[in-house]
Amino acid sequence: MSNYKKTILLVEDDVITAETQSIFLIRNGYSVIHSTTGEKAIEIVNQEHIDLVLMDIDLGDGIDGTITAREILSIKEIPIIFLHLTQKKFF
């Protein structure tokens, strides 16, 4: 059995959400690289070996997750999973 850790690129602009997801993934044996923007995610894909991308659709300012995914797939064939988390507000 290989000791190679799979590397996940987490593209999430919300820092608290990204930190929570990163902790969960790391505890489950993955290596995690975090990007807060689509532009930075594309840069990372060009420079690093990535096994999977977890992509937020709404990345705030800049390019959104769907455009980022399209750009990434034009560079490399990498599985991309879109994340959509909703926050419930309690009054």
Side-chain angles (χ1 to χ4, degrees), residues 2 31 35 54 58 78 85 91:
S2 172
S31 174
S35 172
L54 294 178
D58 181 10
I78 302 172
L85 302 174
F91 298 96

Side-chain angles (χ1 to χ4, degrees), residues 1-30:
M1 181 173 234
S2 172
N3 288 335
Y4 171 73
K5 278 188 173 186
K6 299 286 184 178
T7 301
I8 296 177
L9 172 58
L10 176 61
V11 187
E12 172 61 65
D13 63 324
D14 182 80
V15 178
I16 294 171
T17 301
E19 185 64 25
T20 303
Q21 292 171 344
S22 291
I23 290 168
F24 175 81
L25 292 166
I26 290 166
R27 284 184 181 167
N28 283 281
Y30 297 95

Side-chain angles (χ1 to χ4, degrees), residues 24-66:
F24 175 81
L25 292 166
I26 290 166
R27 284 184 181 167
N28 283 281
Y30 297 95
S31 174
V32 177
I33 300 173
H34 174 231
S35 172
T36 57
T37 68
E39 293 85 355
K40 183 66 178 170
I42 293 166
E43 248 181 72
I44 291 168
V45 166
N46 276 315
Q47 298 170 358
E48 304 286 338
H49 173 80
I50 304 296
D51 296 294
L52 173 72
V53 178
L54 294 178
M55 177 80 67
D56 182 17
I57 294 173
D58 181 10
L59 295 172
D61 295 337
I63 62 175
D64 70 13
T66 57

Side-chain angles (χ1 to χ4, degrees), residues 71-84:
E71 290 293 320
I72 288 171
L73 291 173
S74 74
I75 298 166
K76 293 182 183 173
E77 193 170 314
I78 302 172
I80 299 174
I81 298 174
F82 288 99
L83 303 173
H84 179 70

